[in-house]
Amino acid sequence: MIQKVGIIGGGISGLSSYYYLRNGIHLTSKNVSNGLKINIFEKSNKVGGNIQTKIFKGDKKDEKIIVEEGPRSLRALGRGLNTLELIKRLGISNDVIFSSANSNGKFIFLDGKPKEIPMSGLFDIIKFSFKHSIVGSILKEPFNKIPKQVKQMDPNWDESIYDFFSRRLGKNMAKTFIEPTCLGIYGGDYTNLSIKSTFKRAALLESFGGLIFGLLFKSKKQKQFESELDKNENRLLPSKTSLKELFDKDSDKTNVFSFKDSGLSRMIERLKSLIDSDSQTKLYLSTSISEIQKNNKDNGSIKVVDNKGNQYQYDQLISTIPLNQLAPMFKKSDPKLYQLLQLVDYTSIAVVNLVYKSNKKVLKKIQDKGFGYLVPSKENQSVIGVCFDSNTFPEFVNNNEKENSSEQSIITVMIGGNKGIKDRNDHWIDVTNTSKDKLLEISLNHLDKVLDIESSPDFTNVSIYENGIPHYKVGHQNLLNEIQQHITENYGTSLLLGGNSIDGVGINDSIHKSKQLVSSLKF
Ligand SMILES: Cc1cc2nc3c(=O)[nH]c(=O)nc-3n(C[C@H](O)[C@H](O)[C@H](O)COP(=O)(O)OP(=O)(O)OC[C@H]3O[C@@H](n4cnc5c(N)ncnc54)[C@H](O)[C@@H]3O)c2cc1C
C-alpha cells in the first residue's frame, strides 16, 4: 500500500504529478488520496522549472508587460485538451486567453528575409509552391521507395527526420521546411532526431504506402491500426473532445493559449497555492536530491538523500527531472542505470527577450509578421527563430482594459540549438560558452539587419537553457525501453520516470505523462 510518495522536481511535471496524486486523474474524482503523504523536492528556490514569467512596468499607470523567459504558449489540441481539463479543475479557466488571429501567419526566413507561407489565395499558394519545389516533391512522393524494414513494420526500425523526409519529399523540402520546424520545437538537429519519437504518425503513414497514399487512401488494416493507436492515446484525454464543450470559451480559431496577467506561470502559481495549503504535503525548495537507493527487495521502498545529507524513505518515488540529471544519483548505487540514463541527449538554447515601449516604429515593423519566423540552417544565421509575442498575445502589452492603444512590443529571439547544427551552419553559436551580453548583441544585430529595427529596447532579458530541451535522437525509443526494463527488474513499480524526456517535449506532454504515471498507481 502506498502511504508516502516523493516527487523530484518542481516544474510542471512535478507539480501536476502532485495534483493528480492528491485529486485523482478524473474530472469527477474527489479526495482520492487524503491520507497520502507527499514530499516535493526542488533544487531551485522557486517552483516552475522552465516556466518562468517576468513582469515589467508598462507605459501607462498600472500596466504590466508580461514576458515569458522559456515556454510561451500551449496548443489546445490533442493532449492540450487534457491541459485545459486540468486548468478547469484548478479553477483558472477565466484567466485563459487565446492568441490573436493576427498571429496566424506562418513565416520562414528565406534568402535573408522572413517570408510568409501563403495559406490562402490560390495564385499565391501555387507561385510559392513552384518556387520552393513543393509541387514536384508532392507529385513524386507516392512513387518514392519504401524501405523493407518500414513495410514490414520492424519495431526496431528508426531513422533521422532528415533521412525520412528527404527520402519522401526531397532534400530541398527537408532543408527549407522540415528543418526549421525541428528547430522551432526541439532546437534540434534533424539529421539526428528520431522520426519515430517525434513525427510518429508520419512514420506510420509510410508503412501504409507513403505520406500521400497513407493520408488519402486508408486501407482497412491501416484504419484498424490507427484506431488502436488513437484508443491508446485518447485513453486519458477528456471524453468531451470539443474545446467549446470542455471549456466554454471560443478559441478564436487559433488553438494557441496562455493566461492574462501572469502568462504560463498562472498554472504554476495555482498549483503552488494548493501545495501550500495541503497539510499532508511538504515542498522542499533549494533542496537538490543527490542520491537514490532502493531498500531491500521485500518492502520495495526507496531511499533518497538530499544535498544536505538528509535521508527520506518512500513507497513510491516519481522523478520528473531530465534523465541526464537523474543519472548521477545512481552513480554509486546502480552503475548500469547511471550509464543508461547518461545516454539520453539534450539541447541547449538561449532565449533573448526584448521589450520596446512607446515605439511606433518597432510596432509597425512587426505587426504584419504573425507569430514570428523560423530560420533554416542553410541561411547561415546565429538566430534560429524570432517570436513576436505581442502579436500573439496583445494582452501581454495591453492589459489596462480602459485603454486600447498600446505602442509596446515584445520580441523574443532564440539562439543556439543542438551542436549537430554547426555542421551545416557556420554561424551556429554554442550558447553555453557565450556571454549574455554577446547573445543580446547578436539578437539586436539580427533584428537591425532583417527588420531595420535600430531602436534600443527598454527592457532586455537573456536566459540560457543549458541542456534545456530533450533531443530524442535516433534509437531513443529503444534506449527508453532498455531503461524501463532495468527499472522494472530492479525497482518494480517503486520508481517512476516522468517529465518531458520520455513521450513528448512540450508542456502538454509533460502534464499528460504525469497523469499516465499516477493512473498506473494502485493506492
Ligand atoms: C526555451 C524553451 C522554450 C520552450 N517553449 C515551449 C512552448 O512554447 N510550449 C511548450 O509546450 N513547451 C515548451 N518548452 C518545453 C517546456 O518547457 C517543457 O515541456 C516543460 O517545462 C517541462 O517541465 P518539467 O517539469 O518536465 O521539467 P523542468 O521544467 O525542467 O523542471 C524540472 C525541475 O526539476 C528541478 N531539478 C533538477 N534536478 C533536481 C534535483 N537533483 N533535485 C531536485 N530538483 C531538481 C529543476 O530545478 C526544475 O525546476 C520549451 C522549453 C524551452 C527550454
Side-chain angles (χ1 to χ4, degrees), residues 247-277:
F247 206 56
D248 195 28
K249 224 175 205 186
D250 203 338
S251 71
D252 209 10
K253 298 195 194 84
T254 64
N255 285 319
V256 172
F257 69 95
S258 181
F259 298 83
K260 64 178 180 192
D261 294 336
S262 42
L264 294 178
S265 291
R266 183 74 187 102
M267 285 190 294
I268 302 296
E269 290 161 6
R270 180 70 187 126
L271 285 161
K272 165 95 170 32
S273 76
L274 292 179
I275 291 167
D276 289 344
S277 61

PDB file of all heavy atoms in Angstrom, residues 247-277:
ATOM      1  N   PHE A 247     -14.618  23.602 -22.457  1.00  0.00           N
ATOM      2  CA  PHE A 247     -14.022  24.799 -21.903  1.00  0.00           C
ATOM      3  C   PHE A 247     -14.916  26.013 -21.902  1.00  0.00           C
ATOM      4  O   PHE A 247     -14.638  27.012 -21.259  1.00  0.00           O
ATOM      5  CB  PHE A 247     -12.744  25.092 -22.713  1.00  0.00           C
ATOM      6  CG  PHE A 247     -11.767  25.852 -21.935  1.00  0.00           C
ATOM      7  CD1 PHE A 247     -11.320  25.388 -20.720  1.00  0.00           C
ATOM      8  CD2 PHE A 247     -11.312  27.066 -22.392  1.00  0.00           C
ATOM      9  CE1 PHE A 247     -10.429  26.095 -19.984  1.00  0.00           C
ATOM     10  CE2 PHE A 247     -10.413  27.786 -21.662  1.00  0.00           C
ATOM     11  CZ  PHE A 247      -9.962  27.304 -20.444  1.00  0.00           C
ATOM     12  N   ASP A 248     -15.994  25.924 -22.678  1.00  0.00           N
ATOM     13  CA  ASP A 248     -16.949  27.008 -22.694  1.00  0.00           C
ATOM     14  C   ASP A 248     -16.296  28.337 -23.090  1.00  0.00           C
ATOM     15  O   ASP A 248     -16.536  29.358 -22.481  1.00  0.00           O
ATOM     16  CB  ASP A 248     -17.598  27.104 -21.310  1.00  0.00           C
ATOM     17  CG  ASP A 248     -18.848  27.956 -21.387  1.00  0.00           C
ATOM     18  OD1 ASP A 248     -19.443  27.983 -22.459  1.00  0.00           O
ATOM     19  OD2 ASP A 248     -19.190  28.600 -20.374  1.00  0.00           O
ATOM     20  N   LYS A 249     -15.411  28.286 -24.068  1.00  0.00           N
ATOM     21  CA  LYS A 249     -14.740  29.505 -24.490  1.00  0.00           C
ATOM     22  C   LYS A 249     -14.389  29.363 -25.967  1.00  0.00           C
ATOM     23  O   LYS A 249     -14.048  28.265 -26.408  1.00  0.00           O
ATOM     24  CB  LYS A 249     -13.439  29.673 -23.701  1.00  0.00           C
ATOM     25  CG  LYS A 249     -13.258  31.080 -23.219  1.00  0.00           C
ATOM     26  CD  LYS A 249     -12.044  31.180 -22.349  1.00  0.00           C
ATOM     27  CE  LYS A 249     -12.230  32.358 -21.409  1.00  0.00           C
ATOM     28  NZ  LYS A 249     -11.103  32.659 -20.620  1.00  0.00           N
ATOM     29  N   ASP A 250     -14.444  30.436 -26.697  1.00  0.00           N
ATOM     30  CA  ASP A 250     -14.108  30.340 -28.114  1.00  0.00           C
ATOM     31  C   ASP A 250     -12.602  30.463 -28.275  1.00  0.00           C
ATOM     32  O   ASP A 250     -11.972  31.327 -27.681  1.00  0.00           O
ATOM     33  CB  ASP A 250     -14.825  31.455 -28.881  1.00  0.00           C
ATOM     34  CG  ASP A 250     -14.961  31.071 -30.334  1.00  0.00           C
ATOM     35  OD1 ASP A 250     -14.183  30.217 -30.786  1.00  0.00           O
ATOM     36  OD2 ASP A 250     -15.847  31.623 -30.992  1.00  0.00           O
ATOM     37  N   SER A 251     -12.024  29.592 -29.078  1.00  0.00           N
ATOM     38  CA  SER A 251     -10.567  29.614 -29.212  1.00  0.00           C
ATOM     39  C   SER A 251     -10.111  30.635 -30.241  1.00  0.00           C
ATOM     40  O   SER A 251      -8.931  30.726 -30.542  1.00  0.00           O
ATOM     41  CB  SER A 251     -10.066  28.246 -29.627  1.00  0.00           C
ATOM     42  OG  SER A 251     -10.451  28.021 -30.956  1.00  0.00           O
ATOM     43  N   ASP A 252     -11.058  31.395 -30.803  1.00  0.00           N
ATOM     44  CA  ASP A 252     -10.697  32.389 -31.801  1.00  0.00           C
ATOM     45  C   ASP A 252      -9.984  31.729 -32.984  1.00  0.00           C
ATOM     46  O   ASP A 252      -9.176  32.329 -33.664  1.00  0.00           O
ATOM     47  CB  ASP A 252      -9.780  33.456 -31.159  1.00  0.00           C
ATOM     48  CG  ASP A 252      -9.949  34.796 -31.836  1.00  0.00           C
ATOM     49  OD1 ASP A 252     -10.885  34.918 -32.628  1.00  0.00           O
ATOM     50  OD2 ASP A 252      -9.128  35.691 -31.575  1.00  0.00           O
ATOM     51  N   LYS A 253     -10.255  30.460 -33.170  1.00  0.00           N
ATOM     52  CA  LYS A 253      -9.728  29.634 -34.270  1.00  0.00           C
ATOM     53  C   LYS A 253      -8.203  29.492 -34.246  1.00  0.00           C
ATOM     54  O   LYS A 253      -7.605  29.039 -35.194  1.00  0.00           O
ATOM     55  CB  LYS A 253     -10.170  30.198 -35.621  1.00  0.00           C
ATOM     56  CG  LYS A 253     -11.668  30.209 -35.807  1.00  0.00           C
ATOM     57  CD  LYS A 253     -12.015  30.419 -37.283  1.00  0.00           C
ATOM     58  CE  LYS A 253     -13.465  30.769 -37.457  1.00  0.00           C
ATOM     59  NZ  LYS A 253     -13.745  32.200 -37.277  1.00  0.00           N
ATOM     60  N   THR A 254      -7.527  29.916 -33.196  1.00  0.00           N
ATOM     61  CA  THR A 254      -6.068  29.819 -33.242  1.00  0.00           C
ATOM     62  C   THR A 254      -5.545  28.606 -32.482  1.00  0.00           C
ATOM     63  O   THR A 254      -4.465  28.117 -32.781  1.00  0.00           O
ATOM     64  CB  THR A 254      -5.407  31.064 -32.632  1.00  0.00           C
ATOM     65  OG1 THR A 254      -5.761  31.116 -31.262  1.00  0.00           O
ATOM     66  CG2 THR A 254      -5.810  32.317 -33.347  1.00  0.00           C
ATOM     67  N   ASN A 255      -6.296  28.166 -31.482  1.00  0.00           N
ATOM     68  CA  ASN A 255      -5.897  26.998 -30.687  1.00  0.00           C
ATOM     69  C   ASN A 255      -4.592  27.159 -29.929  1.00  0.00           C
ATOM     70  O   ASN A 255      -3.990  26.184 -29.497  1.00  0.00           O
ATOM     71  CB  ASN A 255      -5.789  25.749 -31.569  1.00  0.00           C
ATOM     72  CG  ASN A 255      -7.156  25.232 -31.931  1.00  0.00           C
ATOM     73  OD1 ASN A 255      -8.042  25.222 -31.061  1.00  0.00           O
ATOM     74  ND2 ASN A 255      -7.343  24.844 -33.158  1.00  0.00           N
ATOM     75  N   VAL A 256      -4.118  28.386 -29.797  1.00  0.00           N
ATOM     76  CA  VAL A 256      -2.891  28.633 -29.025  1.00  0.00           C
ATOM     77  C   VAL A 256      -3.290  29.495 -27.836  1.00  0.00           C
ATOM     78  O   VAL A 256      -4.014  30.470 -27.999  1.00  0.00           O
ATOM     79  CB  VAL A 256      -1.860  29.377 -29.898  1.00  0.00           C
ATOM     80  CG1 VAL A 256      -0.668  29.829 -29.077  1.00  0.00           C
ATOM     81  CG2 VAL A 256      -1.394  28.482 -31.035  1.00  0.00           C
ATOM     82  N   PHE A 257      -2.850  29.117 -26.642  1.00  0.00           N
ATOM     83  CA  PHE A 257      -3.314  29.894 -25.497  1.00  0.00           C
ATOM     84  C   PHE A 257      -2.248  30.119 -24.427  1.00  0.00           C
ATOM     85  O   PHE A 257      -1.208  29.464 -24.402  1.00  0.00           O
ATOM     86  CB  PHE A 257      -4.572  29.276 -24.875  1.00  0.00           C
ATOM     87  CG  PHE A 257      -4.346  27.946 -24.181  1.00  0.00           C
ATOM     88  CD1 PHE A 257      -4.109  27.892 -22.810  1.00  0.00           C
ATOM     89  CD2 PHE A 257      -4.373  26.757 -24.893  1.00  0.00           C
ATOM     90  CE1 PHE A 257      -3.925  26.675 -22.160  1.00  0.00           C
ATOM     91  CE2 PHE A 257      -4.182  25.532 -24.253  1.00  0.00           C
ATOM     92  CZ  PHE A 257      -3.954  25.493 -22.891  1.00  0.00           C
ATOM     93  N   SER A 258      -2.551  31.079 -23.561  1.00  0.00           N
ATOM     94  CA  SER A 258      -1.754  31.363 -22.369  1.00  0.00           C
ATOM     95  C   SER A 258      -2.732  31.952 -21.333  1.00  0.00           C
ATOM     96  O   SER A 258      -3.936  31.661 -21.403  1.00  0.00           O
ATOM     97  CB  SER A 258      -0.621  32.341 -22.695  1.00  0.00           C
ATOM     98  OG  SER A 258       0.143  32.575 -21.529  1.00  0.00           O
ATOM     99  N   PHE A 259      -2.225  32.768 -20.424  1.00  0.00           N
ATOM    100  CA  PHE A 259      -3.079  33.333 -19.375  1.00  0.00           C
ATOM    101  C   PHE A 259      -2.843  34.836 -19.277  1.00  0.00           C
ATOM    102  O   PHE A 259      -1.694  35.290 -19.368  1.00  0.00           O
ATOM    103  CB  PHE A 259      -2.746  32.702 -18.016  1.00  0.00           C
ATOM    104  CG  PHE A 259      -3.001  31.226 -17.979  1.00  0.00           C
ATOM    105  CD1 PHE A 259      -2.055  30.344 -18.470  1.00  0.00           C
ATOM    106  CD2 PHE A 259      -4.191  30.722 -17.483  1.00  0.00           C
ATOM    107  CE1 PHE A 259      -2.281  28.979 -18.461  1.00  0.00           C
ATOM    108  CE2 PHE A 259      -4.431  29.360 -17.472  1.00  0.00           C
ATOM    109  CZ  PHE A 259      -3.476  28.481 -17.960  1.00  0.00           C
ATOM    110  N   LYS A 260      -3.929  35.585 -19.080  1.00  0.00           N
ATOM    111  CA  LYS A 260      -3.778  37.033 -18.915  1.00  0.00           C
ATOM    112  C   LYS A 260      -3.062  37.311 -17.587  1.00  0.00           C
ATOM    113  O   LYS A 260      -3.049  36.463 -16.697  1.00  0.00           O
ATOM    114  CB  LYS A 260      -5.138  37.718 -18.952  1.00  0.00           C
ATOM    115  CG  LYS A 260      -6.056  37.343 -17.815  1.00  0.00           C
ATOM    116  CD  LYS A 260      -7.365  38.116 -17.908  1.00  0.00           C
ATOM    117  CE  LYS A 260      -8.252  37.703 -16.751  1.00  0.00           C
ATOM    118  NZ  LYS A 260      -9.615  38.123 -16.845  1.00  0.00           N
ATOM    119  N   ASP A 261      -2.492  38.443 -17.466  1.00  0.00           N
ATOM    120  CA  ASP A 261      -1.843  38.947 -16.235  1.00  0.00           C
ATOM    121  C   ASP A 261      -0.566  38.229 -15.805  1.00  0.00           C
ATOM    122  O   ASP A 261       0.364  38.856 -15.360  1.00  0.00           O
ATOM    123  CB  ASP A 261      -2.807  38.964 -15.038  1.00  0.00           C
ATOM    124  CG  ASP A 261      -3.925  39.962 -15.266  1.00  0.00           C
ATOM    125  OD1 ASP A 261      -3.689  40.901 -16.050  1.00  0.00           O
ATOM    126  OD2 ASP A 261      -5.020  39.782 -14.709  1.00  0.00           O
ATOM    127  N   SER A 262      -0.516  36.875 -15.908  1.00  0.00           N
ATOM    128  CA  SER A 262       0.734  36.257 -15.449  1.00  0.00           C
ATOM    129  C   SER A 262       1.283  35.194 -16.383  1.00  0.00           C
ATOM    130  O   SER A 262       2.162  34.423 -15.999  1.00  0.00           O
ATOM    131  CB  SER A 262       0.571  35.697 -14.037  1.00  0.00           C
ATOM    132  OG  SER A 262      -0.653  35.053 -13.913  1.00  0.00           O
ATOM    133  N   GLY A 263       0.788  35.125 -17.621  1.00  0.00           N
ATOM    134  CA  GLY A 263       1.332  34.171 -18.585  1.00  0.00           C
ATOM    135  C   GLY A 263       1.229  32.734 -18.081  1.00  0.00           C
ATOM    136  O   GLY A 263       0.379  32.410 -17.231  1.00  0.00           O
ATOM    137  N   LEU A 264       2.109  31.875 -18.583  1.00  0.00           N
ATOM    138  CA  LEU A 264       2.019  30.449 -18.235  1.00  0.00           C
ATOM    139  C   LEU A 264       2.258  30.194 -16.743  1.00  0.00           C
ATOM    140  O   LEU A 264       1.867  29.158 -16.214  1.00  0.00           O
ATOM    141  CB  LEU A 264       3.009  29.638 -19.081  1.00  0.00           C
ATOM    142  CG  LEU A 264       2.717  29.593 -20.588  1.00  0.00           C
ATOM    143  CD1 LEU A 264       3.791  28.794 -21.314  1.00  0.00           C
ATOM    144  CD2 LEU A 264       1.341  28.992 -20.876  1.00  0.00           C
ATOM    145  N   SER A 265       2.882  31.138 -16.061  1.00  0.00           N
ATOM    146  CA  SER A 265       3.129  30.950 -14.627  1.00  0.00           C
ATOM    147  C   SER A 265       1.840  30.875 -13.818  1.00  0.00           C
ATOM    148  O   SER A 265       1.855  30.472 -12.654  1.00  0.00           O
ATOM    149  CB  SER A 265       3.967  32.097 -14.059  1.00  0.00           C
ATOM    150  OG  SER A 265       5.255  31.997 -14.578  1.00  0.00           O
ATOM    151  N   ARG A 266       0.721  31.260 -14.445  1.00  0.00           N
ATOM    152  CA  ARG A 266      -0.563  31.188 -13.722  1.00  0.00           C
ATOM    153  C   ARG A 266      -0.820  29.766 -13.223  1.00  0.00           C
ATOM    154  O   ARG A 266      -1.275  29.563 -12.104  1.00  0.00           O
ATOM    155  CB  ARG A 266      -1.694  31.635 -14.664  1.00  0.00           C
ATOM    156  CG  ARG A 266      -3.061  31.676 -14.017  1.00  0.00           C
ATOM    157  CD  ARG A 266      -3.199  32.866 -13.077  1.00  0.00           C
ATOM    158  NE  ARG A 266      -4.426  32.849 -12.329  1.00  0.00           N
ATOM    159  CZ  ARG A 266      -4.538  32.470 -11.050  1.00  0.00           C
ATOM    160  NH1 ARG A 266      -3.469  32.094 -10.380  1.00  0.00           N
ATOM    161  NH2 ARG A 266      -5.698  32.475 -10.448  1.00  0.00           N
ATOM    162  N   MET A 267      -0.518  28.775 -14.074  1.00  0.00           N
ATOM    163  CA  MET A 267      -0.744  27.378 -13.667  1.00  0.00           C
ATOM    164  C   MET A 267       0.161  27.023 -12.485  1.00  0.00           C
ATOM    165  O   MET A 267      -0.241  26.329 -11.559  1.00  0.00           O
ATOM    166  CB  MET A 267      -0.397  26.430 -14.823  1.00  0.00           C
ATOM    167  CG  MET A 267      -1.418  26.410 -15.923  1.00  0.00           C
ATOM    168  SD  MET A 267      -1.091  25.086 -17.085  1.00  0.00           S
ATOM    169  CE  MET A 267       0.437  25.582 -17.817  1.00  0.00           C
ATOM    170  N   ILE A 268       1.397  27.512 -12.554  1.00  0.00           N
ATOM    171  CA  ILE A 268       2.380  27.191 -11.512  1.00  0.00           C
ATOM    172  C   ILE A 268       1.941  27.812 -10.179  1.00  0.00           C
ATOM    173  O   ILE A 268       1.931  27.150  -9.134  1.00  0.00           O
ATOM    174  CB  ILE A 268       3.783  27.709 -11.926  1.00  0.00           C
ATOM    175  CG1 ILE A 268       4.223  27.106 -13.279  1.00  0.00           C
ATOM    176  CG2 ILE A 268       4.818  27.466 -10.836  1.00  0.00           C
ATOM    177  CD1 ILE A 268       4.428  25.620 -13.316  1.00  0.00           C
ATOM    178  N   GLU A 269       1.546  29.118 -10.232  1.00  0.00           N
ATOM    179  CA  GLU A 269       1.118  29.808  -9.001  1.00  0.00           C
ATOM    180  C   GLU A 269      -0.036  29.070  -8.339  1.00  0.00           C
ATOM    181  O   GLU A 269      -0.061  28.881  -7.128  1.00  0.00           O
ATOM    182  CB  GLU A 269       0.573  31.212  -9.331  1.00  0.00           C
ATOM    183  CG  GLU A 269       1.582  32.227  -9.790  1.00  0.00           C
ATOM    184  CD  GLU A 269       0.893  33.400 -10.521  1.00  0.00           C
ATOM    185  OE1 GLU A 269      -0.363  33.490 -10.570  1.00  0.00           O
ATOM    186  OE2 GLU A 269       1.644  34.215 -11.055  1.00  0.00           O
ATOM    187  N   ARG A 270      -0.998  28.652  -9.174  1.00  0.00           N
ATOM    188  CA  ARG A 270      -2.204  27.996  -8.627  1.00  0.00           C
ATOM    189  C   ARG A 270      -1.837  26.644  -8.001  1.00  0.00           C
ATOM    190  O   ARG A 270      -2.281  26.306  -6.908  1.00  0.00           O
ATOM    191  CB  ARG A 270      -3.210  27.831  -9.772  1.00  0.00           C
ATOM    192  CG  ARG A 270      -4.494  27.183  -9.381  1.00  0.00           C
ATOM    193  CD  ARG A 270      -5.351  28.067  -8.490  1.00  0.00           C
ATOM    194  NE  ARG A 270      -6.507  27.331  -8.019  1.00  0.00           N
ATOM    195  CZ  ARG A 270      -6.834  27.198  -6.751  1.00  0.00           C
ATOM    196  NH1 ARG A 270      -6.144  27.791  -5.809  1.00  0.00           N
ATOM    197  NH2 ARG A 270      -7.884  26.487  -6.408  1.00  0.00           N
ATOM    198  N   LEU A 271      -1.001  25.878  -8.692  1.00  0.00           N
ATOM    199  CA  LEU A 271      -0.597  24.575  -8.151  1.00  0.00           C
ATOM    200  C   LEU A 271       0.188  24.769  -6.855  1.00  0.00           C
ATOM    201  O   LEU A 271       0.003  24.057  -5.874  1.00  0.00           O
ATOM    202  CB  LEU A 271       0.237  23.805  -9.185  1.00  0.00           C
ATOM    203  CG  LEU A 271      -0.575  23.204 -10.343  1.00  0.00           C
ATOM    204  CD1 LEU A 271       0.313  22.877 -11.541  1.00  0.00           C
ATOM    205  CD2 LEU A 271      -1.307  21.943  -9.886  1.00  0.00           C
ATOM    206  N   LYS A 272       1.038  25.791  -6.845  1.00  0.00           N
ATOM    207  CA  LYS A 272       1.849  26.057  -5.643  1.00  0.00           C
ATOM    208  C   LYS A 272       0.917  26.427  -4.476  1.00  0.00           C
ATOM    209  O   LYS A 272       1.133  25.993  -3.333  1.00  0.00           O
ATOM    210  CB  LYS A 272       2.842  27.186  -5.949  1.00  0.00           C
ATOM    211  CG  LYS A 272       3.504  27.842  -4.758  1.00  0.00           C
ATOM    212  CD  LYS A 272       4.844  27.241  -4.457  1.00  0.00           C
ATOM    213  CE  LYS A 272       5.706  27.938  -3.443  1.00  0.00           C
ATOM    214  NZ  LYS A 272       5.157  28.645  -2.344  1.00  0.00           N
ATOM    215  N   SER A 273      -0.135  27.208  -4.754  1.00  0.00           N
ATOM    216  CA  SER A 273      -1.016  27.612  -3.646  1.00  0.00           C
ATOM    217  C   SER A 273      -1.752  26.386  -3.093  1.00  0.00           C
ATOM    218  O   SER A 273      -2.005  26.307  -1.889  1.00  0.00           O
ATOM    219  CB  SER A 273      -1.974  28.723  -4.074  1.00  0.00           C
ATOM    220  OG  SER A 273      -3.001  28.181  -4.862  1.00  0.00           O
ATOM    221  N   LEU A 274      -2.074  25.412  -3.947  1.00  0.00           N
ATOM    222  CA  LEU A 274      -2.729  24.195  -3.442  1.00  0.00           C
ATOM    223  C   LEU A 274      -1.774  23.414  -2.542  1.00  0.00           C
ATOM    224  O   LEU A 274      -2.152  22.885  -1.506  1.00  0.00           O
ATOM    225  CB  LEU A 274      -3.180  23.295  -4.599  1.00  0.00           C
ATOM    226  CG  LEU A 274      -4.314  23.830  -5.479  1.00  0.00           C
ATOM    227  CD1 LEU A 274      -4.637  22.846  -6.585  1.00  0.00           C
ATOM    228  CD2 LEU A 274      -5.564  24.092  -4.633  1.00  0.00           C
ATOM    229  N   ILE A 275      -0.501  23.358  -2.964  1.00  0.00           N
ATOM    230  CA  ILE A 275       0.501  22.620  -2.175  1.00  0.00           C
ATOM    231  C   ILE A 275       0.692  23.307  -0.810  1.00  0.00           C
ATOM    232  O   ILE A 275       0.729  22.659   0.229  1.00  0.00           O
ATOM    233  CB  ILE A 275       1.837  22.541  -2.953  1.00  0.00           C
ATOM    234  CG1 ILE A 275       1.657  21.638  -4.167  1.00  0.00           C
ATOM    235  CG2 ILE A 275       2.991  22.058  -2.071  1.00  0.00           C
ATOM    236  CD1 ILE A 275       2.763  21.708  -5.192  1.00  0.00           C
ATOM    237  N   ASP A 276       0.769  24.649  -0.848  1.00  0.00           N
ATOM    238  CA  ASP A 276       0.993  25.392   0.403  1.00  0.00           C
ATOM    239  C   ASP A 276      -0.129  25.163   1.410  1.00  0.00           C
ATOM    240  O   ASP A 276       0.087  25.229   2.614  1.00  0.00           O
ATOM    241  CB  ASP A 276       1.127  26.895   0.110  1.00  0.00           C
ATOM    242  CG  ASP A 276       2.437  27.212  -0.602  1.00  0.00           C
ATOM    243  OD1 ASP A 276       3.341  26.347  -0.583  1.00  0.00           O
ATOM    244  OD2 ASP A 276       2.553  28.307  -1.192  1.00  0.00           O
ATOM    245  N   SER A 277      -1.338  24.917   0.899  1.00  0.00           N
ATOM    246  CA  SER A 277      -2.445  24.757   1.854  1.00  0.00           C
ATOM    247  C   SER A 277      -2.742  23.290   2.148  1.00  0.00           C
ATOM    248  O   SER A 277      -3.758  22.969   2.749  1.00  0.00           O
ATOM    249  CB  SER A 277      -3.697  25.453   1.301  1.00  0.00           C
ATOM    250  OG  SER A 277      -4.042  24.836   0.080  1.00  0.00           O
TER     251      SER A 277
END
